[in-house]
Amino acid sequence: MGGPAGWVSIAFPAILFLYFLGLMPQVALAPVLGGIDWVPSLGIRLAVLLDGLSMTFALLITGIGLAVTLYSARYLGDHPDYPRFVCYLLMFMVGMLGLVLSDDLIMLFVFWEVTTISSYLLIGFNADSAKSRRSALQALLVTGTGGLAMLGGMIILGNVAGTFQLSQILTMGDEIRAHPWYMAILLLVLAGTFTKSAQVPFHFWLPNAMAAPTPVSAYLHSATMVKAGVFLMARMNPTLGGTDAWFWILTLFGGVTAVFASVMAMRQTDIKQVLAYTTLMALGTLTMFIGAGTHYAIMAAMTFLVVHSLYKAALFLMIGIVDHATGTREAGVLGGLSKAMPLTGLAAALAAISMAGIPPMVGFIGKEFMYKAGLGLEGFGAFWVTMMAFAASVLMFAVGGIVALKPFRGDLRPTPHAPHEGPWPMLAGPLVLGALSLIFGLVPGVLGHYLVGPATHAVFGEVRPVELYLWGGINMALILSLLTFLAGWLVYRRHEAIRARLAAIEARSRVDFDAGWDRLLDGFKAFAAWLTGLIQTGSLQRYMAVTFATFVVLVGGTYILKGAFQAGLSLSTDGVHPVQWAVLGLIATGAILTVWTHSRMTAVAAMGVVGIGVALIFIMFSAPDVAITQLLVEVLVVVLVSLAMLRLPYLPRRSKMVFRTGHAVIAGGMGLVTTFLTISVLASDFDRRLTTYFEATSYPEAFGRNIVNVILVDFRALDTFGEITVVAIAAIAAFALLRGAPPRRKHEEES
Amino acid sequence: MQSLILTTTTRLMAALLLMFSVYALLRGHNLPGGGFIGGLIGATAFILYTIATSVSEARAALRMDPSNLAMLGVGVAALGGMGAGFAGEPFFTGQWLFLFQDGDSYVPLSTVLVFDIGVYMAVFGGILTLVFALEQEI
């Protein structure tokens, strides 16, 4: 069972699950708030908002988490990297819980990224496989890019609302919807949620993410993480929802995703891929109903959220067992497993019947409420939402048959391994989840009262009674349900022909999102290579010339445009001590010698003279610390540069006149601009507030009389910390550059 | 480079410079000096030794890889900053302890000093990493 790591991984969600279960009755009455200040200067808090929505998610995360950790202790317990796997999985669990419990936008974003990163690590868990690595990176880039856009949206939202606290923002809906920045906020936030929840056209990463181990697919890429986007849309519904833009963007993208994904699910032969696409369908459906926004629609979405997590996690875990036992996941190969694997078959049947939406499973209730919600809308919206939900449900019915009926019924077919029943830790999860699908269907009141009701209140924004029931009398929704079964059965009967047809269409189709993504990335890389080649030629002379020329043009240009020369030219040379003139003469001589000489060594030494002259000036103006540092750095620079020079070829007698003139112009301009800059800085009034503060507080508060040092190690310690980190990293990077043989030479040695 | 005079004086000079570097580090809070200056002086001592003898002898004398020393220095500095956490104050707030207080004389200990020692190590190690790498290539 994976040793200590396994037990930790099982105990963690188990304890949390019981904890949240204990809080459930309290949360069903009123949301729980709490938290501590995190970055008070930016108004960011580590705050918790536990209402019906977060409670539903928290229970799904810990409950399904428990099933998954128990399962993986057996599934991966013997894997040499299992402890690493547990670390990632628990990291994800913490991230996801933090995400759904956040009462602060910035905290939510941080945890959002934690889930993205842990998902990256888990998809790439089989790091030896190039396919997993590619899938992991793709998921990271797609969801990470969306996450960045979302951060932008959240910062704007926080500024518009004047607070980052979610529970306050949720009460400010009217204000924010009327704000001119509303559209920007909406689009940016939706960019994050659509990539995370894999809506078309950002869906392609999710089927690829199935490269992860099966328990990960069940947990992250079906039951929890991909629903983070759905969660955020639900969370934001009271603030951003209710507008036409919200309605149409969500219902259109969600509807298209749902139907597209259902069709794609029919096309797949690998059952895990089938399940991946049905997950997309569920995400699309949820998005669509959150967009629809009526009380019924939200209720349908929240019911379906629970329903889907229950059956989908069970199905994923089930296919993992089948894969483990038979060595294949191909729908065309599997058949007649029910004798060898009766319990697995039972779990699959329970989950699949719920997915197909057949009574008395809770899936039926979910589907009924979706139809009711769709029919309750107005105008074209009603037609669109109902049609999309109907089409998706028909295909789900058929898919339920493909994944759970076909592999288990009929005669036993030959598989790579002889099938055998899975061990109990792996069976426990899918069986319990399947049983819950049945129990919640029989006693829907519990689900409605404790989870769906409070969640609907949280998302809808006002309290209205919520009652879930299995039998609602003969109405339009029931008739649609019966039609669904009929159509679904017909599709299932002919699914192999349909699959062949779809495969043919796919082969002809020129639209391939996955390949398109690769082309996009290649384009970026080519652009980056082109730009780097343009800017970074590798010639140090060119870099210096470009840097200094830019400085001269920008700063000098600003000078001329602003007419700032007059201010600087009124300085007098009165009171300059003869010794200071001598030092200035020394500096000038050093500078001229540096330019004049043809020997590198002389140039370096002459530069040293300039630096030492500057150090002398610091001493004259009583800044001993700066002078000592300057002196030491000068000495070290001379040593280091002379050492480096030994490795360089001799200078040519004279470089081309054109270059020398050009360099002279740049150097002269640089000198002039810097001089004017210094003079005008000194001419203007100097803001002494900081100096006064440091002088006044250095000894009383920081117990130091050397203000320079006190600033370095106390007042501005964080800056110094950054600087020494740079020193250390720069040294190591230079070391690597100097010591590492260039790859080309290495290659030559080998050949 | 082989020079008897340089080799002989270096033995003395390097020791003096190293001692002076620690002195500069410790007095830094009240008089010119500090971790940055101390680190530079200490590095100079080893550079002198390197030029007078060889990189391998200087490495042997240092006993520790200078890049590790630099990274350790960053770690020590971070640790010095974390000291404030025990007092419930923000990162990098100086914490002071005055030992043997007797009238006006005392021995002040502080997280600021720990931080400055980290700076010393980072600068010292960083520069020597560079110098050793450059010198060894030739």
Side-chain angles (χ1 to χ4, degrees):
Chain A
M1 289 294 286
W7 293 113
V8 169
S9 77
I10 294 165
F12 185 74
I15 294 167
L16 281 177
F17 180 73
L18 292 176
Y19 173 72
F20 283 116
L21 212 57
L23 283 177
M24 201 166 66
Q26 189 191 343
V27 173
L29 297 175
V32 178
L33 286 167
I36 50 165
D37 283 338
W38 184 12
V39 191
S41 48
L42 292 176
I44 296 169
R45 278 165 58 79
L46 208 57
V48 168
L49 164 63
L50 186 57
D51 60 4
L53 181 65
S54 22
M55 175 54 88
T56 307
F57 267 92
L59 284 176
L60 287 177
I61 293 160
T62 50
I64 295 178
L66 177 60
V68 165
T69 49
L70 187 66
Y71 183 94
S72 18
R74 190 59 198 257
Y75 187 81
L76 280 168
D78 301 328
H79 195 287
D81 282 333
Y82 176 68
R84 189 159 64 93
F85 174 82
V86 168
C87 282
Y88 295 162
L89 203 66
L90 294 188
M91 174 176 146
F92 166 76
M93 210 180 283
V94 171
M96 193 68 202
L97 278 174
L99 198 170
V100 299
L101 296 176
S102 291
D103 190 23
D104 184 281
L105 284 178
I106 302 298
M107 170 185 164
L108 191 148
F109 173 77
V110 170
F111 282 114
W112 178 283
E113 292 300 289
V114 170
T115 65
T116 302
I117 292 164
S118 46
S119 151
Y120 166 72
L121 293 169
L122 284 166
I123 299 171
F125 182 66
N126 294 320
D128 295 338
S129 140
K131 190 169 169 286
S132 332
R133 289 200 305 270
R134 174 183 179 267
S135 304
L137 191 63
Q138 189 183 51
L140 180 73
L141 289 177
V142 174
T143 53
T145 312
L148 278 181
M150 189 184 81
L151 176 64
M154 285 179 164
I155 290 173
I156 301 178
L157 177 59
N159 281 314
V160 167
T163 173
F164 283 113
Q165 201 180 348
L166 259 173
S167 45
Q168 282 186 28
I169 291 175
L170 292 182
T171 60
M172 301 165 77
D174 292 332
E175 245 170 274
I176 287 161
R177 278 187 291 267
H179 199 275
W181 284 90
Y182 167 74
M183 208 56 196
I185 298 170
L186 179 67
L187 292 180
L188 287 171
V189 169
L190 288 185
T193 60
F194 278 13
T195 47
K196 192 82 165 182
S197 282
Q199 300 296 304
V200 172
F202 308 113
H203 64 283
F204 51 89
W205 70 266
L206 185 56
N208 284 340
M210 297 299 138
T214 300
V216 172
S217 305
Y219 192 34
L220 271 72
H221 304 119
S222 183
T224 56
M225 189 195 83
V226 288
K227 295 214 176 86
V230 172
F231 166 81
L232 192 65
M233 286 186 268
R235 180 52 97 212
M236 288 293 168
N237 186 46
T239 310
L240 300 178
T243 59
D244 279 352
W246 172 272
F247 180 89
W248 286 112
I249 296 175
L250 262 62
T251 49
L252 286 179
F253 276 88
V256 168
T257 305
V259 172
F260 171 80
S262 318
V263 174
M264 285 304 284
M266 296 293 299
R267 156 74 188 87
Q268 307 302 318
T269 54
D270 177 350
I271 293 184
K272 201 173 165 188
Q273 285 293 322
V274 176
L275 292 176
Y277 278 103
T278 60
T279 305
L280 272 182
M281 167 269 169
L283 296 171
T285 310
L286 287 167
T287 305
M288 183 167 74
F289 279 97
I290 290 172
T294 58
H295 185 249
Y296 247 112
I298 300 292
M299 199 165 95
M302 292 301 112
T303 314
F304 185 60
L305 175 83
V306 178
V307 169
H308 172 258
S309 296
L310 290 177
Y311 75 66
K312 192 53 64 67
L315 285 176
F316 263 112
L317 295 177
M318 174 283 289
I319 195 62
I321 300 175
V322 170
D323 188 18
H324 223 49
T326 64
T328 181
R329 301 189 304 238
E330 287 294 314
V333 177
L334 293 167
L337 292 174
S338 58
K339 287 218 175 56
M341 310 173 74
L343 290 173
T344 315
L346 176 65
L350 286 170
I353 296 172
S354 186
M355 172 155 100
I358 298 171
M361 308 300 284
V362 72
F364 174 73
I365 303 176
K367 183 160 55 66
E368 288 282 292
F369 277 86
M370 278 199 252
Y371 287 156
K372 281 196 188 113
L375 293 168
L377 293 173
E378 287 166 9
F380 180 70
F383 172 74
W384 170 259
V385 172
T386 315
M387 276 314 291
M388 292 295 123
F390 178 75
S393 299
V394 167
L395 294 170
M396 276 315 96
F397 185 93
V399 168
I402 297 173
V403 298
L405 198 58
K406 209 162 153 284
F408 292 95
R409 271 192 52 202
D411 298 325
L412 188 62
R413 306 241 199 113
T415 48
H417 307 305
H420 57 85
E421 188 58 278
W424 74 265
M426 287 168 73
L427 278 170
L431 277 175
V432 170
L433 293 172
L436 281 176
S437 294
L438 177 63
I439 293 167
F440 282 145
L442 294 174
V443 280
V446 180
L447 186 66
H449 180 69
Y450 285 110
L451 290 181
V452 174
T456 309
H457 298 162
V459 177
F460 190 64
E462 58 182 273
V463 181
R464 288 202 203 166
V466 167
E467 208 171 324
L468 298 184
Y469 44 80
L470 204 54
W471 173 249
I474 295 172
N475 52 28
M476 193 61 194
L478 186 70
I479 295 169
L480 270 177
S481 269
L482 294 175
L483 277 175
T484 309
F485 298 150
L486 185 68
W489 178 248
L490 290 174
V491 173
Y492 172 66
R493 288 294 298 272
R494 294 187 46 77
H495 78 266
E496 273 164 359
I498 293 174
R499 180 188 299 150
R501 176 69 64 82
L502 284 172
I505 294 174
E506 197 186 51
R508 278 204 310 273
S509 154
R510 299 175 140 271
V511 183
D512 184 343
F513 290 95
D514 204 27
W517 169 257
D518 282 343
R519 273 205 291 281
L520 187 70
L521 270 194
D522 289 344
F524 265 124
K525 284 181 196 160
F527 176 71
W530 172 77
L531 196 65
T532 311
L534 194 72
I535 298 173
Q536 307 210 347
T537 52
S539 153
L540 197 59
Q541 275 183 342
R542 170 90 58 101
Y543 291 166
M544 303 279 279
V546 169
T547 311
F548 287 156
T550 313
F551 181 86
V552 169
V553 170
L554 290 184
V555 180
T558 315
Y559 251 87
I560 294 167
L561 283 179
K562 301 259 174 189
F565 282 106
Q566 292 86 348
L569 293 173
S570 60
L571 283 188
S572 74
T573 52
D574 296 343
V576 179
H577 197 270
V579 178
Q580 290 168 349
W581 279 117
V583 173
L584 287 178
L586 185 72
I587 295 174
T589 316
I592 292 167
L593 189 61
T594 313
V595 182
W596 216 255
T597 182
H598 291 292
S599 149
R600 279 207 175 101
M601 271 312 180
T602 316
V604 172
M607 277 292 286
V609 170
V610 174
I612 286 167
V614 175
L616 282 174
I617 290 183
F618 285 140
I619 291 178
M620 287 171 185
F621 289 94
S622 51
D625 270 281
V626 189
I628 295 173
T629 314
Q630 169 80 19
L631 204 61
L632 286 165
V633 167
E634 254 349 292
V635 170
L636 285 170
V637 164
V638 171
V639 170
L640 285 174
V641 175
S642 340
L643 285 176
M645 291 225 158
L646 292 173
R647 296 149 49 80
L648 294 175
Y650 283 105
L651 274 178
R653 279 299 291 172
R654 209 172 258 289
S655 43
K656 274 185 193 154
M657 206 54 207
V658 188
F659 284 114
R660 283 186 73 85
T661 321
H663 290 170
V665 169
I666 293 173
M670 187 72 191
L672 274 177
V673 170
T674 319
T675 308
F676 275 115
L677 203 61
T678 317
I679 292 173
S680 47
V681 165
L682 291 174
S684 59
D685 283 333
F686 187 59
D687 186 351
R688 292 190 59 85
R689 269 180 300 174
L690 264 182
T691 321
T692 319
Y693 171 78
F694 287 143
E695 280 170 359
T697 51
S698 176
Y699 192 70
E701 286 186 19
F703 310 107
R705 290 198 178 82
N706 178 359
I707 299 176
V708 175
N709 185 260
V710 171
I711 291 173
L712 280 176
V713 298
D714 201 328
F715 290 139
R716 294 247 181 259
L718 195 64
D719 292 358
T720 312
F721 186 66
E723 281 154 21
I724 59 169
T725 313
V726 170
V727 167
I729 291 172
I732 288 167
F735 177 77
L737 277 176
L738 288 165
R739 303 296 301 153
R744 204 184 303 128
R745 206 184 300 162
K746 207 182 238 171
H747 182 71
E748 280 162 12
E749 279 164 20
E750 279 165 11
S751 60
Chain B
M1 203 192 310
Q2 283 300 325
S3 151
L4 189 63
I5 300 171
L6 186 64
T7 323
T8 318
T9 45
T10 294
R11 288 191 182 282
L12 188 67
M13 282 301 292
L16 273 175
L17 277 169
L18 276 178
M19 215 161 69
F20 182 62
S21 75
V22 176
Y23 171 69
L25 161 71
L26 292 179
R27 80 203 281 257
H29 214 56
N30 291 313
L31 294 161
F36 197 82
I37 290 172
L40 289 176
I41 299 174
T44 325
F46 265 86
I47 293 171
L48 193 62
Y49 192 71
T50 315
I51 294 171
T53 58
S54 69
V55 174
S56 47
E57 277 193 49
R59 272 187 190 280
L62 189 58
R63 286 158 195 259
M64 187 174 176
D65 193 66
S67 57
N68 288 349
L69 196 64
M71 277 302 161
L72 202 67
V74 176
V76 169
L79 222 60
M82 284 175 201
F86 293 103
E89 288 184 274
F91 196 42
F92 281 127
T93 311
Q95 302 299 316
W96 290 80
L97 190 65
F98 296 100
L99 293 180
F100 312 113
Q101 200 144 14
D102 177 22
D104 232 12
S105 70
Y106 48 79
V107 176
L109 289 181
S110 63
T111 56
V112 169
L113 183 63
V114 176
F115 179 76
D116 223 8
I117 292 172
V119 173
Y120 178 99
M121 289 162 73
V123 171
F124 180 85
I127 289 171
L128 285 185
T129 309
L130 266 180
V131 171
F132 286 175
L134 276 169
E135 185 85 324
Q136 211 156 17
E137 275 290 285
I138 300 153

